[in-house]
Short mmCIF file of all heavy atoms in Angstrom, two decimals:
data_model
loop_
_atom_site.label_atom_id
_atom_site.label_comp_id
_atom_site.label_asym_id
_atom_site.label_seq_id
_atom_site.Cartn_x
_atom_site.Cartn_y
_atom_site.Cartn_z
N VAL M 906 12.27 8.71 24.03
CA VAL M 906 13.11 8.84 22.84
C VAL M 906 12.39 9.63 21.75
O VAL M 906 12.99 10.42 21.03
CB VAL M 906 13.52 7.45 22.32
CG1 VAL M 906 14.31 7.54 21.03
CG2 VAL M 906 14.32 6.70 23.39
N GLU M 907 11.07 9.40 21.63
CA GLU M 907 10.32 10.06 20.55
C GLU M 907 8.83 9.98 20.86
O GLU M 907 8.35 9.02 21.47
CB GLU M 907 10.59 9.38 19.21
CG GLU M 907 9.88 9.99 18.02
CD GLU M 907 10.08 9.18 16.73
OE1 GLU M 907 11.11 8.46 16.63
OE2 GLU M 907 9.21 9.26 15.85
N HIS M 921 9.62 -5.19 11.09
CA HIS M 921 10.73 -4.33 11.49
C HIS M 921 10.91 -4.46 12.99
O HIS M 921 10.08 -5.07 13.69
CB HIS M 921 10.48 -2.88 11.10
CG HIS M 921 9.30 -2.26 11.79
ND1 HIS M 921 7.99 -2.58 11.47
CD2 HIS M 921 9.22 -1.36 12.80
CE1 HIS M 921 7.17 -1.90 12.25
NE2 HIS M 921 7.89 -1.15 13.08
N VAL M 922 11.98 -3.87 13.52
CA VAL M 922 12.22 -3.88 14.96
C VAL M 922 12.61 -2.47 15.41
O VAL M 922 13.04 -1.64 14.60
CB VAL M 922 13.35 -4.87 15.37
CG1 VAL M 922 12.98 -6.29 14.97
CG2 VAL M 922 14.68 -4.46 14.76
N HIS M 923 12.45 -2.22 16.70
CA HIS M 923 12.95 -1.01 17.34
C HIS M 923 13.91 -1.42 18.45
O HIS M 923 13.79 -2.52 19.01
CB HIS M 923 11.81 -0.19 17.94
CG HIS M 923 10.79 0.27 16.94
ND1 HIS M 923 11.05 1.24 16.01
CD2 HIS M 923 9.50 -0.12 16.73
CE1 HIS M 923 9.98 1.44 15.28
NE2 HIS M 923 9.02 0.62 15.69
N ASP M 924 14.83 -0.55 18.79
CA ASP M 924 15.73 -0.85 19.90
C ASP M 924 15.22 -0.24 21.21
O ASP M 924 15.94 -0.22 22.21
CB ASP M 924 17.15 -0.37 19.61
CG ASP M 924 17.24 1.13 19.38
OD1 ASP M 924 16.17 1.79 19.38
OD2 ASP M 924 18.36 1.63 19.20
N VAL M 925 13.98 0.24 21.19
CA VAL M 925 13.34 0.81 22.37
C VAL M 925 11.93 0.25 22.49
O VAL M 925 11.43 -0.45 21.60
CB VAL M 925 13.29 2.36 22.28
CG1 VAL M 925 14.68 2.96 22.34
CG2 VAL M 925 12.58 2.80 20.99
N TRP M 926 11.27 0.55 23.60
CA TRP M 926 9.89 0.13 23.82
C TRP M 926 8.94 1.00 23.01
O TRP M 926 9.16 2.21 22.86
CB TRP M 926 9.54 0.25 25.29
CG TRP M 926 10.23 -0.74 26.17
CD1 TRP M 926 11.45 -0.61 26.77
CD2 TRP M 926 9.74 -2.03 26.56
NE1 TRP M 926 11.75 -1.73 27.50
CE2 TRP M 926 10.72 -2.62 27.40
CE3 TRP M 926 8.56 -2.73 26.30
CZ2 TRP M 926 10.55 -3.88 27.96
CZ3 TRP M 926 8.39 -3.99 26.86
CH2 TRP M 926 9.37 -4.55 27.68
N THR M 927 7.86 0.39 22.50
CA THR M 927 6.83 1.10 21.76
C THR M 927 5.53 1.04 22.55
O THR M 927 4.98 -0.04 22.76
CB THR M 927 6.61 0.48 20.37
OG1 THR M 927 7.84 0.48 19.65
CG2 THR M 927 5.56 1.24 19.59
N LEU M 955 4.93 -2.88 22.81
CA LEU M 955 5.76 -3.75 21.99
C LEU M 955 7.20 -3.64 22.47
O LEU M 955 7.77 -2.55 22.54
CB LEU M 955 5.66 -3.34 20.52
CG LEU M 955 4.23 -3.17 19.96
CD1 LEU M 955 4.29 -2.83 18.48
CD2 LEU M 955 3.39 -4.40 20.22
N PRO M 956 7.82 -4.77 22.81
CA PRO M 956 9.16 -4.73 23.40
C PRO M 956 10.24 -4.49 22.36
O PRO M 956 10.04 -4.71 21.16
CB PRO M 956 9.29 -6.11 24.05
CG PRO M 956 8.38 -6.98 23.26
CD PRO M 956 7.24 -6.12 22.81
N PRO M 957 11.40 -4.04 22.80
CA PRO M 957 12.51 -3.82 21.86
C PRO M 957 13.03 -5.13 21.28
O PRO M 957 12.94 -6.19 21.91
CB PRO M 957 13.57 -3.14 22.73
CG PRO M 957 13.24 -3.53 24.13
CD PRO M 957 11.76 -3.68 24.18
N HIS M 958 13.54 -5.03 20.05
CA HIS M 958 14.24 -6.13 19.38
C HIS M 958 13.35 -7.30 18.99
O HIS M 958 13.87 -8.35 18.58
CB HIS M 958 15.41 -6.64 20.23
CG HIS M 958 16.33 -5.57 20.72
ND1 HIS M 958 17.04 -4.77 19.86
CD2 HIS M 958 16.62 -5.15 21.97
CE1 HIS M 958 17.76 -3.90 20.57
NE2 HIS M 958 17.52 -4.11 21.85
N VAL M 959 12.03 -7.15 19.09
CA VAL M 959 11.11 -8.21 18.70
C VAL M 959 10.41 -7.76 17.41
O VAL M 959 9.72 -6.74 17.41
CB VAL M 959 10.08 -8.52 19.79
CG1 VAL M 959 9.13 -9.63 19.35
CG2 VAL M 959 10.79 -8.92 21.09
N HIS M 961 7.91 -6.95 14.42
CA HIS M 961 6.46 -6.80 14.30
C HIS M 961 6.16 -6.01 13.03
O HIS M 961 7.02 -5.34 12.47
CB HIS M 961 5.88 -6.09 15.53
CG HIS M 961 6.44 -4.73 15.76
ND1 HIS M 961 7.64 -4.51 16.42
CD2 HIS M 961 5.99 -3.49 15.40
CE1 HIS M 961 7.89 -3.22 16.49
NE2 HIS M 961 6.91 -2.58 15.86
N TYR M 977 7.98 6.20 22.27
CA TYR M 977 9.13 5.30 22.25
C TYR M 977 9.94 5.58 23.51
O TYR M 977 10.40 6.71 23.72
CB TYR M 977 9.95 5.51 20.98
CG TYR M 977 9.21 5.14 19.72
CD1 TYR M 977 8.64 6.12 18.90
CD2 TYR M 977 9.05 3.80 19.35
CE1 TYR M 977 7.94 5.78 17.75
CE2 TYR M 977 8.35 3.45 18.20
CZ TYR M 977 7.80 4.44 17.41
OH TYR M 977 7.11 4.11 16.28
N LEU M 978 10.09 4.55 24.34
CA LEU M 978 10.70 4.69 25.66
C LEU M 978 11.95 3.85 25.77
O LEU M 978 11.98 2.70 25.31
CB LEU M 978 9.71 4.24 26.75
CG LEU M 978 8.32 4.89 26.71
CD1 LEU M 978 7.41 4.24 27.73
CD2 LEU M 978 8.42 6.39 26.94
N ASP M 979 12.98 4.40 26.41
CA ASP M 979 14.21 3.63 26.55
C ASP M 979 14.17 2.77 27.81
O ASP M 979 13.19 2.76 28.56
CB ASP M 979 15.44 4.55 26.52
CG ASP M 979 15.53 5.49 27.73
OD1 ASP M 979 14.96 5.18 28.79
OD2 ASP M 979 16.19 6.55 27.60
N ALA M 980 15.26 2.04 28.06
CA ALA M 980 15.30 1.06 29.14
C ALA M 980 15.28 1.69 30.52
O ALA M 980 15.07 0.98 31.51
CB ALA M 980 16.54 0.18 28.99
N LEU M 983 11.43 1.20 31.27
CA LEU M 983 10.96 -0.19 31.33
C LEU M 983 12.15 -1.11 31.14
O LEU M 983 12.89 -0.96 30.16
CB LEU M 983 9.89 -0.46 30.27
CG LEU M 983 8.60 0.36 30.39
CD1 LEU M 983 7.74 0.16 29.14
CD2 LEU M 983 7.82 -0.02 31.63
N GLU M 985 14.41 -4.87 30.95
CA GLU M 985 14.40 -6.08 30.12
C GLU M 985 13.56 -7.19 30.73
O GLU M 985 13.10 -8.09 30.02
CB GLU M 985 15.83 -6.58 29.90
CG GLU M 985 16.67 -5.67 29.02
CD GLU M 985 18.04 -6.25 28.72
OE1 GLU M 985 18.34 -7.33 29.28
OE2 GLU M 985 18.78 -5.64 27.94
N ILE M 988 10.24 -7.83 28.96
CA ILE M 988 10.15 -8.20 27.55
C ILE M 988 9.33 -9.47 27.37
O ILE M 988 8.43 -9.54 26.53
CB ILE M 988 11.56 -8.35 26.94
CG1 ILE M 988 12.24 -6.98 26.84
CG2 ILE M 988 11.48 -9.01 25.56
CD1 ILE M 988 13.65 -7.02 26.27
#
Side-chain angles (χ1 to χ4, degrees):
V906 176
E907 181 186 335
H921 64 287
V922 300
H923 300 289
D924 61 356
V925 293
W926 290 88
T927 303
L955 310 183
H958 309 298
V959 180
H961 59 277
Y977 295 102
L978 308 174
D979 66 24
L983 298 171
E985 292 185 356
I988 291 179

